Amino acid sequence: MSAKIRLYVEHPLGEGQSVPLDRDQAHYLFGVMRLQVGAQLLLFNGSDGEWRVDVAEAGKRGGVLTCQEQIRALVLPPDLWLLFAPIKKARTDFIVEKAAEMGAARIVPVQTDFTNSERIRQDRLQAHAVEAAEQCGSTYVPEVADLQKLSRFLDQWPTDRQLMFCDEAEVGAALTFADEAAMGTPWAILIGPEGGFSEAERKRLHALPQSHVVSLGPRILRADTAAVAALTVWQQKYGDWG
Ligand code: SAH
């Protein structure tokens, strides 16, 4: 039995439901993993929990899986967005992968005044989030949004969403957090690019009523490290680490 294979599909899952496979999925399951008719694996789709499924048909270019039993209900992460300024390709991939593993509900690349890259491959980043969810046992896949301007995003900032603004100018300050009143409400974390935030951005972010200016310790972290560190301290204080 190969119940260890966990695959994300964009298809409804339910008792007795047949799930058709596309060419890539069939190649992976039957070509690479050598599964045969009758083999078992796990499927999730981000909304119907996790299912044990059987291989009903196995072909070179396709196949069919049949849902047997729901083994886990959907578990949604806390309502936390990660906003970050894209950096070099491999490090941006890393941030998306880690954000999915760390339980961000939504990942939003933002263009800041000193953002290194002006374009992202949203589809590629979304695929990284899917892969991370497959391997970390999550039943949920965070959406990776398209690149958008930070200034425009701040113009429409939702009034009920708190912002953990990680400001490198605070390096060395103590890590302070909002009081208990900010628990159980929507949040976002903001991480800047390698060049840091501009003074204009910093002024604007300090003025935002929902903003909580946070220090991530006595050293300046690279953006990818800062993203993981910020997600860790947030999850520990407000999130689902129990
Ligand atoms: N080039 C900038 C550093 C940018 S680090 C400079 O030398 O000042 C990239 C991002 O990581 C920052 O914009 C910030 O969001 C976050 N970050 C890194 N270290 C931090 C720290 N000690 N406290 C708060 N945020 C930090």
Side-chain angles (χ1 to χ4, degrees):
M1 188 175 111
S2 343
K4 282 208 181 79
I5 297 178
R6 260 187 118 239
L7 205 60
Y8 171 82
V9 291
E10 285 179 4
H11 196 278
L13 302 175
E15 200 74 52
Q17 175 80 53
S18 294
V19 181
L21 296 172
D22 65 25
R23 206 190 175 103
D24 287 348
Q25 292 163 333
H27 172 72
Y28 171 68
L29 292 181
F30 313 131
V32 180
M33 301 310 293
R34 306 255 162 226
L35 297 193
Q36 293 175 351
V37 169
Q40 294 189 335
L41 63 148
L42 302 172
L43 289 192
F44 69 108
N45 62 1
S47 54
D48 296 322
E50 181 170 289
W51 286 77
R52 188 169 55 74
V53 303
D54 284 351
V55 176
E57 288 170 35
K60 275 214 163 69
R61 288 180 208 87
V64 178
L65 306 176
T66 309
C67 291
Q68 300 298 340
E69 184 193 4
Q70 190 193 43
I71 56 166
R72 278 197 308 151
L74 173 69
V75 179
L76 292 175
D79 188 355
L80 172 67
W81 297 352
L82 175 70
L83 276 60
F84 74 99
I87 40 180
K88 283 193 201 92
K89 183 175 160 295
R91 288 180 185 272
T92 299
D93 291 352
F94 177 94
I95 290 177
V96 169
E97 179 184 289
K98 299 310 159 206
E101 287 177 41
M102 290 295 299
R106 188 164 176 241
I107 300 169
V108 187
V110 289
Q111 209 176 332
T112 63
D113 290 345
F114 302 150
T115 296
N116 313 47
S117 97
E118 312 225 310
R119 250 179 286 155
I120 55 157
R121 284 277 310 274
Q122 189 278 337
D123 56 340
R124 221 172 40 87
L125 293 180
Q126 186 66 66
H128 280 291
V130 166
E131 253 175 60
E134 283 175 340
Q135 75 73 40
C136 78
S138 172
T139 50
Y140 174 85
V141 179
E143 174 216 357
V144 182
D146 265 327
L147 186 65
Q148 41 202 301
K149 281 210 159 70
L150 175 65
S151 55
R152 221 171 286 155
F153 209 79
L154 293 176
D155 287 343
Q156 311 150 13
W157 192 262
T159 50
D160 66 339
R161 189 168 292 273
Q162 307 298 314
L163 177 67
M164 175 175 166
F165 163 38
C166 300
D167 185 358
E168 66 276 6
E170 297 290 313
V171 62
L175 173 65
T176 48
F177 257 133
D179 56 18
E180 308 295 309
M183 284 207 172
T185 61
W187 272 88
I189 291 171
L190 173 61
I191 301 292
E194 281 162 11
F197 292 102
S198 70
E199 274 318 308
E201 283 169 337
R202 186 165 283 123
K203 219 170 142 188
R204 178 118 199 248
L205 285 159
H206 276 268
L208 191 77
Q210 296 85 352
S211 187
H212 305 263
V213 185
V214 164
S215 161
L216 296 174
R219 289 164 291 272
I220 301 228
L221 308 175
R222 297 190 78 135
D224 47 350
T225 317
V228 177
L231 285 158
T232 306
V233 292
W234 189 92
Q235 285 290 25
Q236 204 267 331
K237 164 98 180 163
Y238 298 115
D240 59 10
W241 282 22

mmCIF file of all heavy atoms in Angstrom, residues 166-168 170-171 190-197 214-217 219-223 226, ligand 1:
data_model
loop_
_atom_site.group_PDB
_atom_site.id
_atom_site.type_symbol
_atom_site.label_atom_id
_atom_site.label_comp_id
_atom_site.label_asym_id
_atom_site.label_seq_id
_atom_site.Cartn_x
_atom_site.Cartn_y
_atom_site.Cartn_z
ATOM 1 N N CYS A 166 7.083 44.631 10.005
ATOM 2 C CA CYS A 166 8.447 44.298 10.413
ATOM 3 C C CYS A 166 9.376 45.345 9.844
ATOM 4 O O CYS A 166 9.621 45.395 8.636
ATOM 5 C CB CYS A 166 8.828 42.901 9.927
ATOM 6 S SG CYS A 166 7.735 41.636 10.608
ATOM 7 N N ASP A 167 9.845 46.218 10.716
ATOM 8 C CA ASP A 167 10.608 47.387 10.288
ATOM 9 C C ASP A 167 12.060 47.225 10.722
ATOM 10 O O ASP A 167 12.369 47.199 11.918
ATOM 11 C CB ASP A 167 9.991 48.636 10.926
ATOM 12 C CG ASP A 167 10.658 49.906 10.440
ATOM 13 O OD1 ASP A 167 11.618 49.821 9.644
ATOM 14 O OD2 ASP A 167 10.223 50.994 10.862
ATOM 15 N N GLU A 168 12.944 47.159 9.738
ATOM 16 C CA GLU A 168 14.362 46.948 10.058
ATOM 17 C C GLU A 168 14.931 48.120 10.862
ATOM 18 O O GLU A 168 15.952 47.962 11.534
ATOM 19 C CB GLU A 168 15.176 46.692 8.784
ATOM 20 C CG GLU A 168 15.285 47.860 7.807
ATOM 21 C CD GLU A 168 14.098 47.959 6.860
ATOM 22 O OE1 GLU A 168 13.139 47.198 7.043
ATOM 23 O OE2 GLU A 168 14.149 48.811 5.955
ATOM 24 N N GLU A 170 13.812 49.139 13.457
ATOM 25 C CA GLU A 170 13.607 48.773 14.868
ATOM 26 C C GLU A 170 14.639 47.760 15.341
ATOM 27 O O GLU A 170 14.522 47.229 16.453
ATOM 28 C CB GLU A 170 12.207 48.165 15.049
ATOM 29 C CG GLU A 170 11.066 49.107 14.743
ATOM 30 C CD GLU A 170 10.945 50.219 15.773
ATOM 31 O OE1 GLU A 170 10.993 49.918 16.974
ATOM 32 O OE2 GLU A 170 10.822 51.390 15.353
ATOM 33 N N VAL A 171 15.598 47.416 14.495
ATOM 34 C CA VAL A 171 16.579 46.383 14.858
ATOM 35 C C VAL A 171 17.138 46.661 16.259
ATOM 36 O O VAL A 171 17.491 47.787 16.594
ATOM 37 C CB VAL A 171 17.716 46.283 13.800
ATOM 38 C CG1 VAL A 171 18.508 47.567 13.693
ATOM 39 C CG2 VAL A 171 18.613 45.093 14.066
ATOM 40 N N LEU A 190 4.012 42.131 7.195
ATOM 41 C CA LEU A 190 4.666 42.790 6.059
ATOM 42 C C LEU A 190 6.189 42.725 6.204
ATOM 43 O O LEU A 190 6.739 43.151 7.215
ATOM 44 C CB LEU A 190 4.224 44.262 5.969
ATOM 45 C CG LEU A 190 4.957 45.107 4.917
ATOM 46 C CD1 LEU A 190 4.739 44.563 3.502
ATOM 47 C CD2 LEU A 190 4.518 46.567 4.993
ATOM 48 N N ILE A 191 6.822 42.159 5.169
ATOM 49 C CA ILE A 191 8.283 42.045 5.108
ATOM 50 C C ILE A 191 8.773 42.842 3.889
ATOM 51 O O ILE A 191 8.251 42.659 2.785
ATOM 52 C CB ILE A 191 8.700 40.563 4.935
ATOM 53 C CG1 ILE A 191 8.179 39.695 6.094
ATOM 54 C CG2 ILE A 191 10.227 40.439 4.786
ATOM 55 C CD1 ILE A 191 8.805 39.961 7.438
ATOM 56 N N GLY A 192 9.769 43.656 4.096
ATOM 57 C CA GLY A 192 10.281 44.490 3.008
ATOM 58 C C GLY A 192 11.335 43.788 2.162
ATOM 59 O O GLY A 192 11.730 42.665 2.453
ATOM 60 N N PRO A 193 11.806 44.466 1.115
ATOM 61 C CA PRO A 193 12.811 43.891 0.203
ATOM 62 C C PRO A 193 14.227 44.043 0.762
ATOM 63 O O PRO A 193 14.414 44.617 1.837
ATOM 64 C CB PRO A 193 12.648 44.746 -1.048
ATOM 65 C CG PRO A 193 12.261 46.087 -0.515
ATOM 66 C CD PRO A 193 11.436 45.835 0.726
ATOM 67 N N GLU A 194 15.206 43.566 0.019
ATOM 68 C CA GLU A 194 16.613 43.673 0.456
ATOM 69 C C GLU A 194 17.013 45.118 0.752
ATOM 70 O O GLU A 194 17.789 45.397 1.647
ATOM 71 C CB GLU A 194 17.539 43.097 -0.620
ATOM 72 C CG GLU A 194 17.582 41.591 -0.589
ATOM 73 C CD GLU A 194 18.130 40.985 -1.876
ATOM 74 O OE1 GLU A 194 18.672 41.726 -2.714
ATOM 75 O OE2 GLU A 194 17.989 39.761 -2.035
ATOM 76 N N GLY A 195 16.455 46.035 -0.030
ATOM 77 C CA GLY A 195 16.770 47.450 0.153
ATOM 78 C C GLY A 195 16.033 48.087 1.323
ATOM 79 O O GLY A 195 16.225 49.269 1.616
ATOM 80 N N GLY A 196 15.154 47.351 1.965
ATOM 81 C CA GLY A 196 14.372 47.891 3.085
ATOM 82 C C GLY A 196 13.252 48.809 2.607
ATOM 83 O O GLY A 196 12.990 48.933 1.400
ATOM 84 N N PHE A 197 12.594 49.460 3.540
ATOM 85 C CA PHE A 197 11.490 50.367 3.203
ATOM 86 C C PHE A 197 12.018 51.774 3.003
ATOM 87 O O PHE A 197 13.011 52.175 3.620
ATOM 88 C CB PHE A 197 10.453 50.374 4.334
ATOM 89 C CG PHE A 197 9.715 49.072 4.471
ATOM 90 C CD1 PHE A 197 10.040 48.173 5.474
ATOM 91 C CD2 PHE A 197 8.699 48.741 3.578
ATOM 92 C CE1 PHE A 197 9.369 46.960 5.591
ATOM 93 C CE2 PHE A 197 8.027 47.531 3.687
ATOM 94 C CZ PHE A 197 8.365 46.639 4.692
ATOM 95 N N VAL A 214 7.104 46.167 14.550
ATOM 96 C CA VAL A 214 7.716 45.049 15.262
ATOM 97 C C VAL A 214 9.196 44.940 14.911
ATOM 98 O O VAL A 214 9.600 45.140 13.767
ATOM 99 C CB VAL A 214 6.967 43.737 14.890
ATOM 100 C CG1 VAL A 214 7.770 42.520 15.259
ATOM 101 C CG2 VAL A 214 5.599 43.707 15.568
ATOM 102 N N SER A 215 9.990 44.615 15.920
ATOM 103 C CA SER A 215 11.408 44.320 15.723
ATOM 104 C C SER A 215 11.607 42.811 15.720
ATOM 105 O O SER A 215 10.991 42.101 16.506
ATOM 106 C CB SER A 215 12.217 44.946 16.866
ATOM 107 O OG SER A 215 13.493 44.322 16.936
ATOM 108 N N LEU A 216 12.468 42.339 14.844
ATOM 109 C CA LEU A 216 12.778 40.906 14.802
ATOM 110 C C LEU A 216 14.179 40.651 15.362
ATOM 111 O O LEU A 216 14.959 39.901 14.786
ATOM 112 C CB LEU A 216 12.644 40.357 13.375
ATOM 113 C CG LEU A 216 11.246 40.404 12.757
ATOM 114 C CD1 LEU A 216 11.282 39.970 11.290
ATOM 115 C CD2 LEU A 216 10.256 39.533 13.525
ATOM 116 N N GLY A 217 14.501 41.331 16.445
ATOM 117 C CA GLY A 217 15.741 41.024 17.150
ATOM 118 C C GLY A 217 16.896 41.940 16.833
ATOM 119 O O GLY A 217 16.764 42.919 16.098
ATOM 120 N N ARG A 219 19.615 41.606 15.063
ATOM 121 C CA ARG A 219 20.343 41.499 13.790
ATOM 122 C C ARG A 219 19.413 41.804 12.626
ATOM 123 O O ARG A 219 18.223 41.514 12.696
ATOM 124 C CB ARG A 219 20.913 40.088 13.628
ATOM 125 C CG ARG A 219 22.067 39.779 14.573
ATOM 126 C CD ARG A 219 22.336 38.305 14.662
ATOM 127 N NE ARG A 219 21.255 37.602 15.347
ATOM 128 C CZ ARG A 219 21.199 37.425 16.674
ATOM 129 N NH1 ARG A 219 22.154 37.877 17.445
ATOM 130 N NH2 ARG A 219 20.175 36.803 17.234
ATOM 131 N N ILE A 220 19.955 42.362 11.559
ATOM 132 C CA ILE A 220 19.155 42.583 10.345
ATOM 133 C C ILE A 220 19.096 41.263 9.587
ATOM 134 O O ILE A 220 20.135 40.714 9.200
ATOM 135 C CB ILE A 220 19.764 43.682 9.470
ATOM 136 C CG1 ILE A 220 19.827 44.982 10.278
ATOM 137 C CG2 ILE A 220 18.972 43.833 8.171
ATOM 138 C CD1 ILE A 220 19.327 46.212 9.634
ATOM 139 N N LEU A 221 17.910 40.774 9.402
ATOM 140 C CA LEU A 221 17.724 39.483 8.735
ATOM 141 C C LEU A 221 17.495 39.694 7.250
ATOM 142 O O LEU A 221 16.944 40.713 6.836
ATOM 143 C CB LEU A 221 16.504 38.770 9.336
ATOM 144 C CG LEU A 221 16.484 38.647 10.860
ATOM 145 C CD1 LEU A 221 15.165 38.037 11.333
ATOM 146 C CD2 LEU A 221 17.661 37.805 11.335
ATOM 147 N N ARG A 222 17.888 38.719 6.449
ATOM 148 C CA ARG A 222 17.503 38.769 5.044
ATOM 149 C C ARG A 222 15.996 38.581 4.981
ATOM 150 O O ARG A 222 15.383 38.003 5.885
ATOM 151 C CB ARG A 222 18.204 37.652 4.270
ATOM 152 C CG ARG A 222 19.721 37.824 4.298
ATOM 153 C CD ARG A 222 20.344 36.865 3.344
ATOM 154 N NE ARG A 222 20.214 37.356 1.988
ATOM 155 C CZ ARG A 222 21.203 37.345 1.091
ATOM 156 N NH1 ARG A 222 22.372 36.835 1.396
ATOM 157 N NH2 ARG A 222 21.016 37.796 -0.113
ATOM 158 N N ALA A 223 15.403 39.056 3.877
ATOM 159 C CA ALA A 223 13.943 39.056 3.786
ATOM 160 C C ALA A 223 13.362 37.652 3.954
ATOM 161 O O ALA A 223 12.317 37.477 4.600
ATOM 162 C CB ALA A 223 13.520 39.662 2.449
ATOM 163 N N ALA A 226 13.571 36.768 7.566
ATOM 164 C CA ALA A 226 12.623 37.610 8.309
ATOM 165 C C ALA A 226 11.195 37.073 8.164
ATOM 166 O O ALA A 226 10.422 37.068 9.126
ATOM 167 C CB ALA A 226 12.710 39.048 7.819
HETATM 168 N N1 SAH B 1 18.642 46.651 3.609
HETATM 169 C C1 SAH B 1 17.905 46.861 4.806
HETATM 170 C C2 SAH B 1 17.429 45.544 5.414
HETATM 171 C C3 SAH B 1 16.303 44.879 4.724
HETATM 172 S S1 SAH B 1 15.985 43.348 5.433
HETATM 173 C C4 SAH B 1 18.846 47.526 5.809
HETATM 174 O O1 SAH B 1 20.031 47.229 5.792
HETATM 175 O O2 SAH B 1 18.332 48.268 6.665
HETATM 176 C C5 SAH B 1 14.495 42.877 4.624
HETATM 177 C C6 SAH B 1 13.250 42.991 5.454
HETATM 178 O O3 SAH B 1 13.279 42.065 6.532
HETATM 179 C C7 SAH B 1 13.016 44.330 6.131
HETATM 180 O O4 SAH B 1 12.390 45.260 5.263
HETATM 181 C C8 SAH B 1 12.114 43.972 7.292
HETATM 182 O O5 SAH B 1 10.752 43.822 6.890
HETATM 183 C C9 SAH B 1 12.636 42.608 7.675
HETATM 184 N N2 SAH B 1 13.628 42.644 8.757
HETATM 185 C C10 SAH B 1 14.910 42.191 8.719
HETATM 186 N N3 SAH B 1 15.509 42.314 9.909
HETATM 187 C C11 SAH B 1 14.609 42.872 10.750
HETATM 188 C C12 SAH B 1 14.639 43.238 12.138
HETATM 189 N N4 SAH B 1 15.697 43.052 12.900
HETATM 190 N N5 SAH B 1 13.498 43.768 12.671
HETATM 191 C C13 SAH B 1 12.395 43.965 11.912
HETATM 192 N N6 SAH B 1 12.318 43.628 10.606
HETATM 193 C C14 SAH B 1 13.408 43.093 10.023
#
